[in-house]
Amino acid sequence: MKHKLKTWFIFVTCIVALMAVTFATYAWFTINRKVSTSTATARTGEESLELQISSNGGSDFKNSSPAKIQQVNKTDLNWLMPVSTADLKSFVYSPVTIDGMAKSFELVSDESNYYHGRIYLCAKGEGMPEGSKVDLYLDESRGILGNDVDEMLLNAARLGLSFDNGSSGNVILRLSDKSNPNNQQVYNTVINGEVLGDDQVLSYGRNGVKAAKDPSSLVDDYLISFGDNTAEVPDKPLLEMEIGRIYQLDIYFYLEGCDPDCSDSISFDVADIHLAFYGMLSKEGR
């Protein structure tokens, strides 16, 4: 449940990603994508907050100029295949299907089957007490799902956000709360003779691949929304940021192969996705 607050608080907004992606799918998908970024900031009174962004960390942080998301993948990514993950660390894929069913799986070792990009974020403050912190949310004010989005494609998509290689938190987001029509869904992931159902994904461990509960949350759970002089704030932030600390943010965009919406029904679709962050002072230090 979200709670409403008057918008008198210090705030800062940062638009960090605009992805134009084109998909073509087969049984278990493909993607072309362009990525660019821009930022915006806001100040109030003698105290100020500024959410800064950098492509490489170090000293090149910006508060208003675009900063490119650096692709981390080592391979030339023109086509991606469906994958499954429970933790954004181990991704698995099915190299073949038998009679339309995916029964054998391998660990993705070179990140060739999904998009992986990276940026750095830092909340800078002036006149703020030592120990002050900022809660980080997603911002829907400019339309987080963009203007040209195929809804059926988003039903199967996942957006993974990993802060500091997971040590500061991992979040996997579903970009839609809807499902495709029954005749355009497939249940074709088989583990130990059992067909996986809704809300299941694959994890990888010492004993190989096994079924796991889908850890994803609906993107709305982290979206801050605005009304007349009010803000509707989610109960839980993506991250609680220390002012002045640099955070590495790894961005994963993929189709969850175990999702029944990941089928040939989402072929040659285009989606532009706007990923925006909103920071709000959550704790004033002393």
Side-chain angles (χ1 to χ4, degrees):
M1 179 182 294
K2 296 183 178 181
H3 55 283
K4 290 186 177 181
L5 295 175
K6 294 289 185 179
T7 55
W8 54 266
F9 44 73
I10 300 173
F11 66 94
V12 57
T13 302
C14 179
I15 307 298
V16 300
L18 169 60
M19 296 186 290
V21 294
T22 303
F23 292 84
T25 64
Y26 301 104
W28 242 72
F29 100 105
T30 65
I31 176 174
N32 294 309
R33 105 216 116 257
K34 297 179 181 178
V35 181
S36 63
T37 66
S38 62
T39 64
T41 62
R43 293 173 178 267
T44 180
E46 296 181 356
E47 297 177 335
S48 69
L49 280 177
E50 191 171 74
L51 189 58
Q52 297 187 347
I53 185 172
S54 170
S55 297
N56 303 299
S59 60
D60 68 338
F61 276 85
K62 306 172 183 180
N63 60 17
S64 60
S65 301
K68 181 180 180 181
I69 296 177
Q70 297 290 350
Q71 182 176 318
V72 177
N73 307 64
K74 303 298 183 182
T75 55
D76 180 16
L77 284 176
N78 292 316
W79 301 91
L80 299 184
M81 300 300 293
V83 296
S84 187
T85 183
D87 55 14
L88 299 179
K89 295 179 181 178
S90 299
F91 290 78
V92 299
Y93 75 104
S94 178
V96 296
T97 58
I98 301 174
D99 296 328
M101 305 299 286
K103 300 180 179 180
S104 63
F105 302 92
E106 296 181 7
L107 184 67
V108 180
S109 59
D110 56 4
E111 295 195 315
S112 61
N113 290 1
Y114 52 89
Y115 174 74
H116 178 191
R118 180 177 295 158
I119 57 173
Y120 298 83
L121 296 173
C122 184
K124 294 292 183 69
E126 296 180 5
M128 307 297 298
E130 184 178 353
S132 297
K133 295 185 178 181
V134 172
D135 279 345
L136 190 69
Y137 304 98
L138 290 168
D139 179 6
E140 69 170 2
S141 60
R142 297 194 182 187
I144 191 165
L145 298 183
N147 298 315
D148 187 10
V149 180
D150 183 271
E151 191 171 20
M152 292 179 63
L153 181 153
L154 291 179
N155 292 342
R158 299 290 189 274
L159 179 69
L161 304 176
S162 180
F163 296 92
D164 294 335
N165 292 316
S167 63
S168 295
N170 280 341
V171 181
I172 299 177
L173 301 172
R174 299 189 308 278
L175 300 178
S176 170
D177 61 352
K178 300 179 181 178
S179 298
N180 295 340
N182 291 339
N183 62 356
Q184 296 180 349
Q185 292 183 323
V186 293
Y187 292 86
N188 64 345
T189 304
V190 181
I191 295 291
N192 298 325
E194 297 291 331
V195 178
L196 267 61
D198 295 324
D199 302 323
Q200 288 185 292
V201 298
L202 298 177
S203 66
Y204 186 86
R206 291 183 179 180
N207 298 321
V209 177
K210 64 179 182 179
K213 180 178 175 55
D214 186 352
S216 65
S217 300
L218 186 63
V219 66
D220 290 358
D221 292 345
Y222 294 93
L223 276 177
I224 188 168
S225 55
F226 303 93
D228 295 334
N229 298 317
T230 63
E232 195 169 349
V233 183
D235 289 333
K236 183 179 179 181
L238 291 169
L239 176 70
E240 185 180 63
M241 302 179 69
E242 299 176 13
I243 294 179
R245 176 179 170 181
I246 296 173
Y247 292 87
Q248 175 182 300
L249 172 58
D250 287 81
I251 300 169
Y252 299 88
F253 188 75
Y254 62 99
L255 285 190
E256 174 54 62
C258 292
D259 192 311
D261 294 321
C262 186
S263 70
D264 287 336
S265 63
I266 48 174
S267 299
F268 297 100
D269 293 322
V270 176
D272 54 88
I273 300 173
H274 304 269
L275 177 62
F277 291 111
Y278 187 99
M280 189 177 74
L281 185 67
S282 61
K283 178 181 179 181
E284 287 206 51
R286 298 179 179 178

